[in-house]
PDB file of all heavy atoms in Angstrom:
ATOM      1  N   TYR I   1     -24.995  -1.500 -19.656  1.00  0.00           N
ATOM      2  CA  TYR I   1     -24.722  -2.912 -19.374  1.00  0.00           C
ATOM      3  C   TYR I   1     -23.229  -3.203 -19.489  1.00  0.00           C
ATOM      4  O   TYR I   1     -22.646  -3.870 -18.644  1.00  0.00           O
ATOM      5  CB  TYR I   1     -25.511  -3.803 -20.334  1.00  0.00           C
ATOM      6  CG  TYR I   1     -25.253  -5.272 -20.135  1.00  0.00           C
ATOM      7  CD1 TYR I   1     -25.855  -5.956 -19.077  1.00  0.00           C
ATOM      8  CD2 TYR I   1     -24.408  -5.979 -20.981  1.00  0.00           C
ATOM      9  CE1 TYR I   1     -25.611  -7.301 -18.878  1.00  0.00           C
ATOM     10  CE2 TYR I   1     -24.159  -7.322 -20.788  1.00  0.00           C
ATOM     11  CZ  TYR I   1     -24.765  -7.978 -19.738  1.00  0.00           C
ATOM     12  OH  TYR I   1     -24.522  -9.311 -19.532  1.00  0.00           O
ATOM     13  N   ARG I   2     -22.583  -2.670 -20.539  1.00  0.00           N
ATOM     14  CA  ARG I   2     -21.161  -2.916 -20.751  1.00  0.00           C
ATOM     15  C   ARG I   2     -20.340  -2.362 -19.590  1.00  0.00           C
ATOM     16  O   ARG I   2     -19.439  -3.010 -19.084  1.00  0.00           O
ATOM     17  CB  ARG I   2     -20.691  -2.281 -22.064  1.00  0.00           C
ATOM     18  CG  ARG I   2     -19.239  -2.606 -22.404  1.00  0.00           C
ATOM     19  CD  ARG I   2     -18.734  -1.804 -23.583  1.00  0.00           C
ATOM     20  NE  ARG I   2     -18.621  -0.383 -23.303  1.00  0.00           N
ATOM     21  CZ  ARG I   2     -17.647   0.177 -22.577  1.00  0.00           C
ATOM     22  NH1 ARG I   2     -16.719  -0.555 -22.028  1.00  0.00           N
ATOM     23  NH2 ARG I   2     -17.614   1.483 -22.402  1.00  0.00           N
ATOM     24  N   ARG I   3     -20.663  -1.161 -19.153  1.00  0.00           N
ATOM     25  CA  ARG I   3     -19.917  -0.551 -18.044  1.00  0.00           C
ATOM     26  C   ARG I   3     -20.119  -1.330 -16.753  1.00  0.00           C
ATOM     27  O   ARG I   3     -19.206  -1.455 -15.959  1.00  0.00           O
ATOM     28  CB  ARG I   3     -20.338   0.900 -17.842  1.00  0.00           C
ATOM     29  CG  ARG I   3     -19.768   1.818 -18.876  1.00  0.00           C
ATOM     30  CD  ARG I   3     -20.172   3.245 -18.618  1.00  0.00           C
ATOM     31  NE  ARG I   3     -19.541   4.106 -19.583  1.00  0.00           N
ATOM     32  CZ  ARG I   3     -18.891   5.204 -19.271  1.00  0.00           C
ATOM     33  NH1 ARG I   3     -18.805   5.590 -18.029  1.00  0.00           N
ATOM     34  NH2 ARG I   3     -18.341   5.932 -20.212  1.00  0.00           N
ATOM     35  N   GLY I   4     -21.315  -1.859 -16.555  1.00  0.00           N
ATOM     36  CA  GLY I   4     -21.592  -2.639 -15.351  1.00  0.00           C
ATOM     37  C   GLY I   4     -20.832  -3.943 -15.309  1.00  0.00           C
ATOM     38  O   GLY I   4     -20.555  -4.479 -14.239  1.00  0.00           O
ATOM     39  N   ASN I   5     -20.477  -4.476 -16.464  1.00  0.00           N
ATOM     40  CA  ASN I   5     -19.741  -5.727 -16.533  1.00  0.00           C
ATOM     41  C   ASN I   5     -18.247  -5.524 -16.712  1.00  0.00           C
ATOM     42  O   ASN I   5     -17.501  -6.495 -16.792  1.00  0.00           O
ATOM     43  CB  ASN I   5     -20.273  -6.593 -17.680  1.00  0.00           C
ATOM     44  CG  ASN I   5     -21.633  -7.161 -17.348  1.00  0.00           C
ATOM     45  OD1 ASN I   5     -21.893  -7.507 -16.213  1.00  0.00           O
ATOM     46  ND2 ASN I   5     -22.499  -7.242 -18.334  1.00  0.00           N
ATOM     47  N   ASP I   6     -17.796  -4.303 -16.765  1.00  0.00           N
ATOM     48  CA  ASP I   6     -16.381  -3.991 -16.919  1.00  0.00           C
ATOM     49  C   ASP I   6     -15.663  -4.337 -15.615  1.00  0.00           C
ATOM     50  O   ASP I   6     -16.046  -3.847 -14.549  1.00  0.00           O
ATOM     51  CB  ASP I   6     -16.240  -2.499 -17.235  1.00  0.00           C
ATOM     52  CG  ASP I   6     -14.819  -2.083 -17.514  1.00  0.00           C
ATOM     53  OD1 ASP I   6     -13.889  -2.668 -16.922  1.00  0.00           O
ATOM     54  OD2 ASP I   6     -14.631  -1.159 -18.314  1.00  0.00           O
ATOM     55  N   PRO I   7     -14.622  -5.173 -15.664  1.00  0.00           N
ATOM     56  CA  PRO I   7     -13.921  -5.556 -14.430  1.00  0.00           C
ATOM     57  C   PRO I   7     -13.377  -4.356 -13.640  1.00  0.00           C
ATOM     58  O   PRO I   7     -13.415  -4.365 -12.407  1.00  0.00           O
ATOM     59  CB  PRO I   7     -12.774  -6.441 -14.925  1.00  0.00           C
ATOM     60  CG  PRO I   7     -13.227  -6.958 -16.241  1.00  0.00           C
ATOM     61  CD  PRO I   7     -14.092  -5.878 -16.823  1.00  0.00           C
ATOM     62  N   ALA I   8     -12.892  -3.342 -14.331  1.00  0.00           N
ATOM     63  CA  ALA I   8     -12.372  -2.163 -13.630  1.00  0.00           C
ATOM     64  C   ALA I   8     -13.490  -1.460 -12.866  1.00  0.00           C
ATOM     65  O   ALA I   8     -13.287  -1.002 -11.737  1.00  0.00           O
ATOM     66  CB  ALA I   8     -11.707  -1.204 -14.616  1.00  0.00           C
ATOM     67  N   MET I   9     -14.665  -1.366 -13.463  1.00  0.00           N
ATOM     68  CA  MET I   9     -15.792  -0.730 -12.785  1.00  0.00           C
ATOM     69  C   MET I   9     -16.282  -1.585 -11.618  1.00  0.00           C
ATOM     70  O   MET I   9     -16.684  -1.057 -10.578  1.00  0.00           O
ATOM     71  CB  MET I   9     -16.929  -0.451 -13.766  1.00  0.00           C
ATOM     72  CG  MET I   9     -16.636   0.686 -14.731  1.00  0.00           C
ATOM     73  SD  MET I   9     -16.330   2.263 -13.901  1.00  0.00           S
ATOM     74  CE  MET I   9     -17.937   2.611 -13.243  1.00  0.00           C
ATOM     75  N   GLN I  10     -16.236  -2.898 -11.766  1.00  0.00           N
ATOM     76  CA  GLN I  10     -16.620  -3.775 -10.664  1.00  0.00           C
ATOM     77  C   GLN I  10     -15.654  -3.599  -9.487  1.00  0.00           C
ATOM     78  O   GLN I  10     -16.080  -3.533  -8.333  1.00  0.00           O
ATOM     79  CB  GLN I  10     -16.652  -5.226 -11.134  1.00  0.00           C
ATOM     80  CG  GLN I  10     -17.797  -5.501 -12.077  1.00  0.00           C
ATOM     81  CD  GLN I  10     -17.767  -6.899 -12.657  1.00  0.00           C
ATOM     82  OE1 GLN I  10     -16.785  -7.624 -12.537  1.00  0.00           O
ATOM     83  NE2 GLN I  10     -18.854  -7.274 -13.307  1.00  0.00           N
ATOM     84  N   GLU I  11     -14.366  -3.495  -9.782  1.00  0.00           N
ATOM     85  CA  GLU I  11     -13.371  -3.238  -8.737  1.00  0.00           C
ATOM     86  C   GLU I  11     -13.628  -1.888  -8.082  1.00  0.00           C
ATOM     87  O   GLU I  11     -13.510  -1.752  -6.863  1.00  0.00           O
ATOM     88  CB  GLU I  11     -11.955  -3.253  -9.322  1.00  0.00           C
ATOM     89  CG  GLU I  11     -11.440  -4.611  -9.679  1.00  0.00           C
ATOM     90  CD  GLU I  11     -10.012  -4.528 -10.193  1.00  0.00           C
ATOM     91  OE1 GLU I  11      -9.147  -4.026  -9.440  1.00  0.00           O
ATOM     92  OE2 GLU I  11      -9.778  -4.950 -11.328  1.00  0.00           O
ATOM     93  N   TYR I  12     -13.943  -0.890  -8.905  1.00  0.00           N
ATOM     94  CA  TYR I  12     -14.221   0.454  -8.395  1.00  0.00           C
ATOM     95  C   TYR I  12     -15.380   0.421  -7.401  1.00  0.00           C
ATOM     96  O   TYR I  12     -15.272   0.952  -6.291  1.00  0.00           O
ATOM     97  CB  TYR I  12     -14.537   1.386  -9.564  1.00  0.00           C
ATOM     98  CG  TYR I  12     -15.094   2.727  -9.151  1.00  0.00           C
ATOM     99  CD1 TYR I  12     -14.286   3.710  -8.597  1.00  0.00           C
ATOM    100  CD2 TYR I  12     -16.449   3.017  -9.326  1.00  0.00           C
ATOM    101  CE1 TYR I  12     -14.796   4.937  -8.216  1.00  0.00           C
ATOM    102  CE2 TYR I  12     -16.966   4.247  -8.959  1.00  0.00           C
ATOM    103  CZ  TYR I  12     -16.141   5.197  -8.398  1.00  0.00           C
ATOM    104  OH  TYR I  12     -16.653   6.413  -8.017  1.00  0.00           O
ATOM    105  N   HIS I  13     -16.476  -0.203  -7.784  1.00  0.00           N
ATOM    106  CA  HIS I  13     -17.642  -0.245  -6.900  1.00  0.00           C
ATOM    107  C   HIS I  13     -17.331  -0.997  -5.605  1.00  0.00           C
ATOM    108  O   HIS I  13     -17.750  -0.573  -4.524  1.00  0.00           O
ATOM    109  CB  HIS I  13     -18.844  -0.867  -7.615  1.00  0.00           C
ATOM    110  CG  HIS I  13     -19.401   0.016  -8.686  1.00  0.00           C
ATOM    111  ND1 HIS I  13     -20.018   1.216  -8.426  1.00  0.00           N
ATOM    112  CD2 HIS I  13     -19.414  -0.113 -10.032  1.00  0.00           C
ATOM    113  CE1 HIS I  13     -20.393   1.785  -9.559  1.00  0.00           C
ATOM    114  NE2 HIS I  13     -20.024   0.999 -10.548  1.00  0.00           N
ATOM    115  N   ALA I  14     -16.566  -2.077  -5.710  1.00  0.00           N
ATOM    116  CA  ALA I  14     -16.217  -2.856  -4.521  1.00  0.00           C
ATOM    117  C   ALA I  14     -15.325  -2.053  -3.568  1.00  0.00           C
ATOM    118  O   ALA I  14     -15.559  -2.034  -2.350  1.00  0.00           O
ATOM    119  CB  ALA I  14     -15.525  -4.152  -4.934  1.00  0.00           C
ATOM    120  N   ILE I  15     -14.332  -1.374  -4.104  1.00  0.00           N
ATOM    121  CA  ILE I  15     -13.411  -0.629  -3.240  1.00  0.00           C
ATOM    122  C   ILE I  15     -14.085   0.602  -2.641  1.00  0.00           C
ATOM    123  O   ILE I  15     -13.828   0.953  -1.490  1.00  0.00           O
ATOM    124  CB  ILE I  15     -12.097  -0.279  -3.977  1.00  0.00           C
ATOM    125  CG1 ILE I  15     -10.979  -0.018  -2.961  1.00  0.00           C
ATOM    126  CG2 ILE I  15     -12.258   0.899  -4.908  1.00  0.00           C
ATOM    127  CD1 ILE I  15      -9.591   0.014  -3.560  1.00  0.00           C
ATOM    128  N   VAL I  16     -14.986   1.234  -3.389  1.00  0.00           N
ATOM    129  CA  VAL I  16     -15.716   2.387  -2.847  1.00  0.00           C
ATOM    130  C   VAL I  16     -16.577   1.942  -1.660  1.00  0.00           C
ATOM    131  O   VAL I  16     -16.631   2.627  -0.631  1.00  0.00           O
ATOM    132  CB  VAL I  16     -16.564   3.075  -3.936  1.00  0.00           C
ATOM    133  CG1 VAL I  16     -17.576   4.041  -3.325  1.00  0.00           C
ATOM    134  CG2 VAL I  16     -15.661   3.810  -4.912  1.00  0.00           C
ATOM    135  N   LYS I  17     -17.220   0.785  -1.762  1.00  0.00           N
ATOM    136  CA  LYS I  17     -18.021   0.274  -0.642  1.00  0.00           C
ATOM    137  C   LYS I  17     -17.144   0.045   0.586  1.00  0.00           C
ATOM    138  O   LYS I  17     -17.538   0.357   1.704  1.00  0.00           O
ATOM    139  CB  LYS I  17     -18.730  -1.020  -1.040  1.00  0.00           C
ATOM    140  CG  LYS I  17     -19.905  -0.810  -1.947  1.00  0.00           C
ATOM    141  CD  LYS I  17     -20.578  -2.120  -2.276  1.00  0.00           C
ATOM    142  CE  LYS I  17     -21.722  -1.898  -3.243  1.00  0.00           C
ATOM    143  NZ  LYS I  17     -22.385  -3.150  -3.606  1.00  0.00           N
ATOM    144  N   GLN I  18     -15.945  -0.504   0.371  1.00  0.00           N
ATOM    145  CA  GLN I  18     -15.034  -0.748   1.488  1.00  0.00           C
ATOM    146  C   GLN I  18     -14.568   0.562   2.109  1.00  0.00           C
ATOM    147  O   GLN I  18     -14.504   0.688   3.338  1.00  0.00           O
ATOM    148  CB  GLN I  18     -13.828  -1.564   1.016  1.00  0.00           C
ATOM    149  CG  GLN I  18     -14.173  -2.976   0.633  1.00  0.00           C
ATOM    150  CD  GLN I  18     -12.975  -3.727   0.068  1.00  0.00           C
ATOM    151  OE1 GLN I  18     -11.912  -3.162  -0.127  1.00  0.00           O
ATOM    152  NE2 GLN I  18     -13.169  -5.008  -0.201  1.00  0.00           N
ATOM    153  N   ILE I  19     -14.247   1.542   1.268  1.00  0.00           N
ATOM    154  CA  ILE I  19     -13.800   2.843   1.770  1.00  0.00           C
ATOM    155  C   ILE I  19     -14.919   3.511   2.551  1.00  0.00           C
ATOM    156  O   ILE I  19     -14.698   4.041   3.647  1.00  0.00           O
ATOM    157  CB  ILE I  19     -13.322   3.742   0.612  1.00  0.00           C
ATOM    158  CG1 ILE I  19     -12.016   3.178   0.016  1.00  0.00           C
ATOM    159  CG2 ILE I  19     -13.133   5.183   1.066  1.00  0.00           C
ATOM    160  CD1 ILE I  19     -11.616   3.798  -1.307  1.00  0.00           C
ATOM    161  N   GLU I  20     -16.128   3.493   2.012  1.00  0.00           N
ATOM    162  CA  GLU I  20     -17.261   4.115   2.689  1.00  0.00           C
ATOM    163  C   GLU I  20     -17.575   3.434   4.012  1.00  0.00           C
ATOM    164  O   GLU I  20     -18.074   4.071   4.938  1.00  0.00           O
ATOM    165  CB  GLU I  20     -18.482   4.125   1.776  1.00  0.00           C
ATOM    166  CG  GLU I  20     -18.339   5.107   0.622  1.00  0.00           C
ATOM    167  CD  GLU I  20     -19.483   5.055  -0.372  1.00  0.00           C
ATOM    168  OE1 GLU I  20     -20.244   4.047  -0.385  1.00  0.00           O
ATOM    169  OE2 GLU I  20     -19.608   6.009  -1.153  1.00  0.00           O
ATOM    170  N   ALA I  21     -17.264   2.138   4.120  1.00  0.00           N
ATOM    171  CA  ALA I  21     -17.489   1.409   5.368  1.00  0.00           C
ATOM    172  C   ALA I  21     -16.369   1.648   6.377  1.00  0.00           C
ATOM    173  O   ALA I  21     -16.463   1.220   7.522  1.00  0.00           O
ATOM    174  CB  ALA I  21     -17.619  -0.087   5.072  1.00  0.00           C
ATOM    175  N   GLY I  22     -15.296   2.325   5.948  1.00  0.00           N
ATOM    176  CA  GLY I  22     -14.211   2.668   6.851  1.00  0.00           C
ATOM    177  C   GLY I  22     -13.099   1.643   6.961  1.00  0.00           C
ATOM    178  O   GLY I  22     -12.252   1.736   7.842  1.00  0.00           O
ATOM    179  N   TYR I  23     -13.091   0.640   6.080  1.00  0.00           N
ATOM    180  CA  TYR I  23     -12.030  -0.357   6.130  1.00  0.00           C
ATOM    181  C   TYR I  23     -10.687   0.264   5.766  1.00  0.00           C
ATOM    182  O   TYR I  23     -10.606   1.073   4.843  1.00  0.00           O
ATOM    183  CB  TYR I  23     -12.322  -1.509   5.157  1.00  0.00           C
ATOM    184  CG  TYR I  23     -13.496  -2.355   5.557  1.00  0.00           C
ATOM    185  CD1 TYR I  23     -14.686  -2.296   4.848  1.00  0.00           C
ATOM    186  CD2 TYR I  23     -13.414  -3.220   6.647  1.00  0.00           C
ATOM    187  CE1 TYR I  23     -15.774  -3.067   5.211  1.00  0.00           C
ATOM    188  CE2 TYR I  23     -14.501  -3.990   7.021  1.00  0.00           C
ATOM    189  CZ  TYR I  23     -15.680  -3.914   6.300  1.00  0.00           C
ATOM    190  OH  TYR I  23     -16.748  -4.679   6.660  1.00  0.00           O
ATOM    191  N   PRO I  24      -9.617  -0.123   6.463  1.00  0.00           N
ATOM    192  CA  PRO I  24      -8.286   0.388   6.111  1.00  0.00           C
ATOM    193  C   PRO I  24      -7.861  -0.141   4.742  1.00  0.00           C
ATOM    194  O   PRO I  24      -8.102  -1.304   4.424  1.00  0.00           O
ATOM    195  CB  PRO I  24      -7.366  -0.161   7.204  1.00  0.00           C
ATOM    196  CG  PRO I  24      -8.222  -0.811   8.212  1.00  0.00           C
ATOM    197  CD  PRO I  24      -9.583  -0.973   7.637  1.00  0.00           C
ATOM    198  N   MET I  25      -7.271   0.718   3.947  1.00  0.00           N
ATOM    199  CA  MET I  25      -6.859   0.352   2.595  1.00  0.00           C
ATOM    200  C   MET I  25      -5.360   0.564   2.450  1.00  0.00           C
ATOM    201  O   MET I  25      -4.817   1.531   2.971  1.00  0.00           O
ATOM    202  CB  MET I  25      -7.579   1.222   1.554  1.00  0.00           C
ATOM    203  CG  MET I  25      -9.087   1.242   1.642  1.00  0.00           C
ATOM    204  SD  MET I  25      -9.879  -0.348   1.416  1.00  0.00           S
ATOM    205  CE  MET I  25      -9.405  -0.746  -0.233  1.00  0.00           C
ATOM    206  N   HIS I  26      -4.718  -0.320   1.723  1.00  0.00           N
ATOM    207  CA  HIS I  26      -3.301  -0.142   1.406  1.00  0.00           C
ATOM    208  C   HIS I  26      -3.209   0.781   0.195  1.00  0.00           C
ATOM    209  O   HIS I  26      -3.973   0.619  -0.770  1.00  0.00           O
ATOM    210  CB  HIS I  26      -2.653  -1.492   1.100  1.00  0.00           C
ATOM    211  CG  HIS I  26      -1.169  -1.404   0.980  1.00  0.00           C
ATOM    212  ND1 HIS I  26      -0.547  -1.022  -0.180  1.00  0.00           N
ATOM    213  CD2 HIS I  26      -0.197  -1.630   1.889  1.00  0.00           C
ATOM    214  CE1 HIS I  26       0.763  -1.020   0.011  1.00  0.00           C
ATOM    215  NE2 HIS I  26       0.997  -1.396   1.267  1.00  0.00           N
ATOM    216  N   PRO I  27      -2.304   1.751   0.202  1.00  0.00           N
ATOM    217  CA  PRO I  27      -2.206   2.695  -0.921  1.00  0.00           C
ATOM    218  C   PRO I  27      -2.030   2.022  -2.286  1.00  0.00           C
ATOM    219  O   PRO I  27      -2.607   2.476  -3.270  1.00  0.00           O
ATOM    220  CB  PRO I  27      -0.985   3.551  -0.566  1.00  0.00           C
ATOM    221  CG  PRO I  27      -0.884   3.476   0.911  1.00  0.00           C
ATOM    222  CD  PRO I  27      -1.368   2.106   1.285  1.00  0.00           C
ATOM    223  N   GLN I  28      -1.272   0.940  -2.349  1.00  0.00           N
ATOM    224  CA  GLN I  28      -1.053   0.266  -3.635  1.00  0.00           C
ATOM    225  C   GLN I  28      -2.337  -0.367  -4.161  1.00  0.00           C
ATOM    226  O   GLN I  28      -2.583  -0.382  -5.359  1.00  0.00           O
ATOM    227  CB  GLN I  28       0.043  -0.800  -3.524  1.00  0.00           C
ATOM    228  CG  GLN I  28       0.432  -1.384  -4.874  1.00  0.00           C
ATOM    229  CD  GLN I  28       0.965  -0.328  -5.837  1.00  0.00           C
ATOM    230  OE1 GLN I  28       1.855   0.435  -5.488  1.00  0.00           O
ATOM    231  NE2 GLN I  28       0.417  -0.270  -7.040  1.00  0.00           N
ATOM    232  N   GLU I  29      -3.181  -0.858  -3.251  1.00  0.00           N
ATOM    233  CA  GLU I  29      -4.455  -1.443  -3.653  1.00  0.00           C
ATOM    234  C   GLU I  29      -5.334  -0.394  -4.348  1.00  0.00           C
ATOM    235  O   GLU I  29      -5.938  -0.657  -5.387  1.00  0.00           O
ATOM    236  CB  GLU I  29      -5.160  -2.009  -2.427  1.00  0.00           C
ATOM    237  CG  GLU I  29      -6.455  -2.718  -2.711  1.00  0.00           C
ATOM    238  CD  GLU I  29      -7.088  -3.292  -1.464  1.00  0.00           C
ATOM    239  OE1 GLU I  29      -6.598  -3.038  -0.342  1.00  0.00           O
ATOM    240  OE2 GLU I  29      -8.097  -3.994  -1.616  1.00  0.00           O
ATOM    241  N   VAL I  30      -5.371   0.791  -3.763  1.00  0.00           N
ATOM    242  CA  VAL I  30      -6.155   1.888  -4.339  1.00  0.00           C
ATOM    243  C   VAL I  30      -5.539   2.321  -5.676  1.00  0.00           C
ATOM    244  O   VAL I  30      -6.249   2.512  -6.668  1.00  0.00           O
ATOM    245  CB  VAL I  30      -6.252   3.076  -3.354  1.00  0.00           C
ATOM    246  CG1 VAL I  30      -6.981   4.249  -3.989  1.00  0.00           C
ATOM    247  CG2 VAL I  30      -6.946   2.641  -2.073  1.00  0.00           C
ATOM    248  N   GLN I  31      -4.218   2.437  -5.718  1.00  0.00           N
ATOM    249  CA  GLN I  31      -3.544   2.851  -6.954  1.00  0.00           C
ATOM    250  C   GLN I  31      -3.775   1.855  -8.081  1.00  0.00           C
ATOM    251  O   GLN I  31      -3.947   2.243  -9.237  1.00  0.00           O
ATOM    252  CB  GLN I  31      -2.042   3.038  -6.713  1.00  0.00           C
ATOM    253  CG  GLN I  31      -1.319   3.618  -7.916  1.00  0.00           C
ATOM    254  CD  GLN I  31      -1.818   5.002  -8.279  1.00  0.00           C
ATOM    255  OE1 GLN I  31      -1.860   5.878  -7.434  1.00  0.00           O
ATOM    256  NE2 GLN I  31      -2.194   5.216  -9.528  1.00  0.00           N
ATOM    257  N   ASP I  32      -3.799   0.567  -7.759  1.00  0.00           N
ATOM    258  CA  ASP I  32      -4.052  -0.448  -8.785  1.00  0.00           C
ATOM    259  C   ASP I  32      -5.422  -0.269  -9.429  1.00  0.00           C
ATOM    260  O   ASP I  32      -5.574  -0.401 -10.643  1.00  0.00           O
ATOM    261  CB  ASP I  32      -3.927  -1.859  -8.195  1.00  0.00           C
ATOM    262  CG  ASP I  32      -2.502  -2.238  -7.845  1.00  0.00           C
ATOM    263  OD1 ASP I  32      -1.553  -1.553  -8.299  1.00  0.00           O
ATOM    264  OD2 ASP I  32      -2.334  -3.237  -7.103  1.00  0.00           O
ATOM    265  N   VAL I  33      -6.425   0.051  -8.609  1.00  0.00           N
ATOM    266  CA  VAL I  33      -7.770   0.272  -9.148  1.00  0.00           C
ATOM    267  C   VAL I  33      -7.798   1.554  -9.973  1.00  0.00           C
ATOM    268  O   VAL I  33      -8.401   1.594 -11.054  1.00  0.00           O
ATOM    269  CB  VAL I  33      -8.821   0.286  -8.014  1.00  0.00           C
ATOM    270  CG1 VAL I  33     -10.208   0.626  -8.571  1.00  0.00           C
ATOM    271  CG2 VAL I  33      -8.850  -1.048  -7.290  1.00  0.00           C
ATOM    272  N   ILE I  34      -7.138   2.597  -9.501  1.00  0.00           N
ATOM    273  CA  ILE I  34      -7.069   3.852 -10.258  1.00  0.00           C
ATOM    274  C   ILE I  34      -6.419   3.606 -11.616  1.00  0.00           C
ATOM    275  O   ILE I  34      -6.920   4.067 -12.652  1.00  0.00           O
ATOM    276  CB  ILE I  34      -6.302   4.931  -9.464  1.00  0.00           C
ATOM    277  CG1 ILE I  34      -7.140   5.376  -8.255  1.00  0.00           C
ATOM    278  CG2 ILE I  34      -5.956   6.131 -10.347  1.00  0.00           C
ATOM    279  CD1 ILE I  34      -6.388   6.248  -7.275  1.00  0.00           C
ATOM    280  N   ASP I  35      -5.321   2.861 -11.630  1.00  0.00           N
ATOM    281  CA  ASP I  35      -4.642   2.545 -12.894  1.00  0.00           C
ATOM    282  C   ASP I  35      -5.550   1.756 -13.833  1.00  0.00           C
ATOM    283  O   ASP I  35      -5.615   2.039 -15.040  1.00  0.00           O
ATOM    284  CB  ASP I  35      -3.355   1.762 -12.629  1.00  0.00           C
ATOM    285  CG  ASP I  35      -2.295   2.590 -11.932  1.00  0.00           C
ATOM    286  OD1 ASP I  35      -2.394   3.849 -11.927  1.00  0.00           O
ATOM    287  OD2 ASP I  35      -1.353   1.988 -11.382  1.00  0.00           O
ATOM    288  N   ALA I  36      -6.260   0.760 -13.297  1.00  0.00           N
ATOM    289  CA  ALA I  36      -7.157  -0.053 -14.120  1.00  0.00           C
ATOM    290  C   ALA I  36      -8.286   0.803 -14.705  1.00  0.00           C
ATOM    291  O   ALA I  36      -8.648   0.641 -15.875  1.00  0.00           O
ATOM    292  CB  ALA I  36      -7.737  -1.203 -13.291  1.00  0.00           C
TER     293      ALA I  36
END
């Protein structure tokens, strides 16, 4: 439950869905999530 509510994990799941759908991503956007 804690991991599911973690903002970094929520960002991770959202960006993975976008990547899997083929949306173009800015490198800094991806790096920000990696850092978080």
Side-chain angles (χ1 to χ4, degrees):
Y1 178 78
R2 185 189 67 76
R3 284 182 177 229
N5 288 323
D6 184 327
M9 288 300 292
Q10 290 174 348
E11 287 182 58
Y12 169 74
H13 290 293
I15 202 166
V16 166
K17 285 181 183 179
Q18 292 176 355
I19 291 167
E20 289 175 342
Y23 292 108
M25 306 299 298
H26 189 277
Q28 188 60 51
E29 183 178 7
V30 176
Q31 187 62 53
D32 290 345
V33 176
I34 290 170
D35 292 343

